[in-house]
């Protein structure tokens, strides 16, 4: 028989264990993995409002009446809510319900770039390092002097060799300083570095057969296919995919193809997410971050453009979903900056980026 003193001791240890379990239940576990996808120069106007009918003309959107009719059939609807749902169905049916979305001016939600330059390299640098850097003032292929959150994570013990990036822009390896960081960072050429399977060889063949339409940016299809194949085969804990077509079609004043690219990007993001949910290492243990490098002009004339002469390009959007992110949907009455994305990526997987990079902006407050 146990003494009453032993019983009391046993009871206390039971209570301590129960309290620990309760505390663990209340502190959400961070995600084990994080997927980051950016859509280059994707405007908040379409993210939150879908198709903008004033751009469906030859002059503003560079499209024929026939193309305008097709775009209206695919993406047209009476309300902005219906239009955005048609343009980005995964974003609005899944992320808006289970995650958080920042930057909708209608809800006093401000998301902005802080580098003051409003073009790509300074934007990606701000987003991935956590602070703007005036030295990054061109899109030239110069190795980034700064350490990105991807490089930093790759030096964390349980992430080493498990961080990778795929992009549609040949500057990506320079932004990540691939020669220093050692990160696999594919931004042009064959998407699969060492093809072994029939499918991997087919992806590289397909990529090689596409026209080099923009030169430094390739179509998003080979980028996405390469990233998905890498994801399935190598199981990175951190995967970054930099999509590029939205920016290029917009510069080319092809509003119909800009919308088409946005819809295909949304489909890719769904595919990436669903692929993650189909693998035990990722299912319910993976966070998703979506963002853009800059906004664009707000008028029928300058919606195609961004950069120093287009201050409207300061306004952006971003979205996050995954373990520890409360399902608050469209965030209202809040101001966030592009520089917060770096620490957010780290925080989602339980890492403190600011501890190492005190200049970095704090992670987004996601109600964790
Ligand atoms: Zn651009």
């Amino acid at each position: 028989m146990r003494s009453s003193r032993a019983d009391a001791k046993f009871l206390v240890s039971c209570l301590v264990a129960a309290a620990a379990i309760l505390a663990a239940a209340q502190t959400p576990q961070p995600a084990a993995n994080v997927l980051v996808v950016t859509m280059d120069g994707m405007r908040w106007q379409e993210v939150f409002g879908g198709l903008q009918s004033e751009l469906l003309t030859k002059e503003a959107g560079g499209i024929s009446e026939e193309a305008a009719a097709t775009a209206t059939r695919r993406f047209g609807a009476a309300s902005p809510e219906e239009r955005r749902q048609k343009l980005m169905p995964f974003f609005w049916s899944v992320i808006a319900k289970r995650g958080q979305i920042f930057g909708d001016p209608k809800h006093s939600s401000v998301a902005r770039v802080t580098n003051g330059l409003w073009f790509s390299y300074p934007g990606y640098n701000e987003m991935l390092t956590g602070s703007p850097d005036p030295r990054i003032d061109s899109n030239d292929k110069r190795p980034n002097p700064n350490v990105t959150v991807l490089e930093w994570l790759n030096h964390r013990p349980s992430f080493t060799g498990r961080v990778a990036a795929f992009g549609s822009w040949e500057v990506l390896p320079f932004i990540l300083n691939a020669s220093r960081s050692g990160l696999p960072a594919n931004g042009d050429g064959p998407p699969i570095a060492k093809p072994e399977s029939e499918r991997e060889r087919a992806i590289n063949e397909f990529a090689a057969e596409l026209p080099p339409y923009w030169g430094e940016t390739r179509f998003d299809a080979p980028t996405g296919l390469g990233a998905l194949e890498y994801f399935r085969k190598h199981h990175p804990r951190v995967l970054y995919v930099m999509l590029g077509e939205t920016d290029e079609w917009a510069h080319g004043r092809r509003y119909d193809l800009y919308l088409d690219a946005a819809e295909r990007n949304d489909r890719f993001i769904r595919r990436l997410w669903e692929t993650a949910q189909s693998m035990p290492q990722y299912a319910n243990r993976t966070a998703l971050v979506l963002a853009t490098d800059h906004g664009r002009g707000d008028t029928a004339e300058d919606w195609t453009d961004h950069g120093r002469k287009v201050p409207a390009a300061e306004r952006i959007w971003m979205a996050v979903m995954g373990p520890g992110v409360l399902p608050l949907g469209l965030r209202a009455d809040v101001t966030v900056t592009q520089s917060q994305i770096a620490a957010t990526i780290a925080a989602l997987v339980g890492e403190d980026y600011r501890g190492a990079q005190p200049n970095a902006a704090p992670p987004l407050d996601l109600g964790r």
Side-chain angles (χ1 to χ4, degrees):
M1 227 182 129
R2 301 163 71 106
S3 72
S4 62
R5 194 160 160 199
D7 278 347
K9 239 177 140 180
F10 178 70
L11 187 63
V12 167
S13 57
C14 283
L15 285 172
V16 169
I21 289 165
L22 275 175
Q26 281 163 3
T27 316
Q29 287 289 307
N33 318 284
V34 60
L35 306 170
V36 182
V37 182
T38 53
M39 295 168 70
D40 200 300
M42 179 69 198
R43 301 199 312 164
W44 63 262
Q45 287 87 339
E46 280 77 25
V47 170
F48 297 109
L51 177 152
Q52 307 293 304
S53 55
E54 69 272 21
L55 301 184
L56 284 181
T57 64
K58 182 90 198 144
E59 203 183 15
I63 56 178
S64 64
E65 270 179 39
E66 198 186 341
T70 303
T72 304
R73 195 173 62 243
R74 287 176 67 187
F75 307 119
S79 71
E81 290 77 15
E82 291 168 275
R83 291 197 300 271
R84 70 192 186 196
Q85 174 71 34
K86 280 186 154 180
L87 185 66
M88 297 171 70
F90 177 71
F91 191 95
W92 287 105
S93 60
V94 178
I95 302 170
K97 294 204 170 67
R98 297 196 219 154
Q100 299 186 25
I101 300 169
F102 297 84
D104 187 353
K106 263 193 194 165
H107 292 82
S108 308
S109 185
V110 178
R112 40 185 293 269
V113 172
T114 67
N115 61 61
L117 297 175
W118 315 317
F119 63 90
S120 289
Y121 198 153
Y124 290 115
N125 176 70
E126 175 175 340
M127 178 195 307
L128 296 171
T129 68
S131 54
D133 180 351
R135 293 175 298 173
I136 311 288
D137 61 358
S138 84
N139 280 341
D140 293 349
K141 287 194 265 180
R142 291 205 199 109
N144 197 339
N146 307 306
V147 172
T148 64
V149 68
L150 303 182
E151 181 175 356
W152 181 78
L153 279 171
N154 195 45
H155 284 126
R156 305 293 294 159
S158 63
F159 288 89
T160 303
R162 306 186 69 189
V163 182
F166 281 78
S168 297
W169 194 29
E170 63 182 15
V171 184
L172 172 66
F174 296 87
I175 295 169
L176 302 179
N177 200 333
S179 56
R180 179 192 65 213
S181 65
L183 292 171
N186 180 280
D188 61 345
I192 308 286
K194 290 183 196 131
E196 287 164 348
S197 68
E198 201 47 50
R199 182 175 172 80
E200 288 176 325
R201 279 190 288 274
I203 290 171
N204 279 359
E205 276 173 34
F206 161 72
E209 293 302 324
L210 291 171
Y213 191 66
W214 297 296
E216 63 182 29
T217 302
R218 68 180 169 199
F219 291 119
D220 287 331
T223 304
L225 289 170
L228 276 167
E229 204 56 22
Y230 187 94
F231 185 45
R232 286 195 199 99
K233 188 171 174 183
H234 299 280
H235 299 154
R237 290 189 64 186
V238 183
L239 178 66
Y240 172 41
V241 185
M242 172 197 273
L243 300 170
E245 278 189 40
T246 42
D247 188 64
E248 296 289 355
W249 293 124
H251 281 300
R253 200 176 287 278
R254 280 299 301 266
Y255 195 59
D256 54 339
L257 294 175
Y258 165 78
L259 296 175
D260 179 74
E263 191 201 33
R264 280 185 286 112
N265 285 178
D266 180 79
R267 201 186 313 152
F268 165 74
I269 296 162
R270 178 193 294 275
R271 211 169 152 198
L272 184 66
W273 181 253
E274 290 179 352
T275 301
Q277 301 312 314
S278 73
M279 298 191 284
Q281 180 192 330
Y282 297 94
N284 303 318
R285 304 176 69 206
T286 302
L288 177 67
V289 177
L290 304 179
T292 189
D293 53 334
H294 52 73
R296 319 192 76 82
D298 198 29
T299 69
E301 175 55 33
D302 74 359
W303 73 272
T304 55
D305 210 359
H306 59 90
R308 289 182 183 87
K309 283 180 255 158
V310 188
E314 180 187 54
R315 296 289 284 267
I316 53 170
W317 54 274
M318 59 188 81
V320 187
M321 141 171 104
V325 181
L326 290 177
L328 302 176
L330 262 180
R331 292 288 305 268
D333 305 312
V334 64
T335 295
V336 298
T337 62
Q338 184 176 50
S339 53
Q340 292 183 265
I341 294 171
T344 302
I345 292 169
L348 285 165
V349 289
E351 297 285 336
D352 176 18
Y353 182 61
R354 280 181 103 204
Q357 308 265 9
N359 288 337
L364 295 171
D365 179 4
L366 301 167
R368 293 163 63 85

